[in-house]
Amino acid sequence: MRLAREGLTIEKPEDVIKNPITLEFLGLKPEAAYTESKLETAIINKMQQFLLEMGKGFLFEKRQKHFVFDEHNFYVDLIFYNRLLKSYVLIDQDLGQMQMYVNYYDRYIKQDFENPTIGILLCEQKSDALVELTLPKDSNIYAAQYSLYLPDKAVLQSKLKEWIEEYNDNEQNS
């Protein structure tokens, strides 16, 4: 409701990162299982639509960005830059490596005038409790659930009802 009254205001990374991200434009079948590389390839092949789905200010830099650290090779799935946040945005599906990727970018890639690097973990099913337990509170890493297709009408109506009730509860408590 605030968005309808005031429009989108960007103050922090959460204001730019969509969750969930709907990847219907990729044309993948919802019942099939996809490897990390197949999903990544589908995104690259439909980059314009993916950038529009991500939101405002995203610029694509590189796929499978290679870097060497301590004589080990690493590859970040997708590298973006958000010009509104003045921040690198790394997208990967590996929670175990994302913190290291973000730290690497913050320490060795980003410049002093840029804001801290943001990590987005693309998850087919997201558990906020698991993300909260796994990542440090100030990690600047966010899990974004993706779906290959919009949910059916009944699910959307149920979600809308839930959001309206949540909004009304917040208004009453204010």
Side-chain angles (χ1 to χ4, degrees), residues 73-84:
N73 292 300
F74 297 97
Y75 298 86
V76 184
D77 286 351
L78 299 167
I79 308 296
F80 294 87
Y81 191 83
N82 189 286
R83 65 182 188 80
L84 301 173

Side-chain angles (χ1 to χ4, degrees), residues 62-77 79 90 92 97-106 108-109:
K62 183 103 172 121
R63 172 187 189 187
Q64 288 296 310
K65 173 72 174 189
H66 175 249
F67 67 91
V68 178
F69 186 75
D70 196 27
E71 299 181 25
H72 295 284
N73 292 300
F74 297 97
Y75 298 86
V76 184
D77 286 351
I79 308 296
L90 314 180
D92 207 282
Q97 292 186 332
M98 181 58 87
Q99 184 70 57
M100 186 264 300
Y101 294 160
V102 167
N103 289 343
Y104 179 85
Y105 261 72
D106 279 346
Y108 301 106
I109 305 295

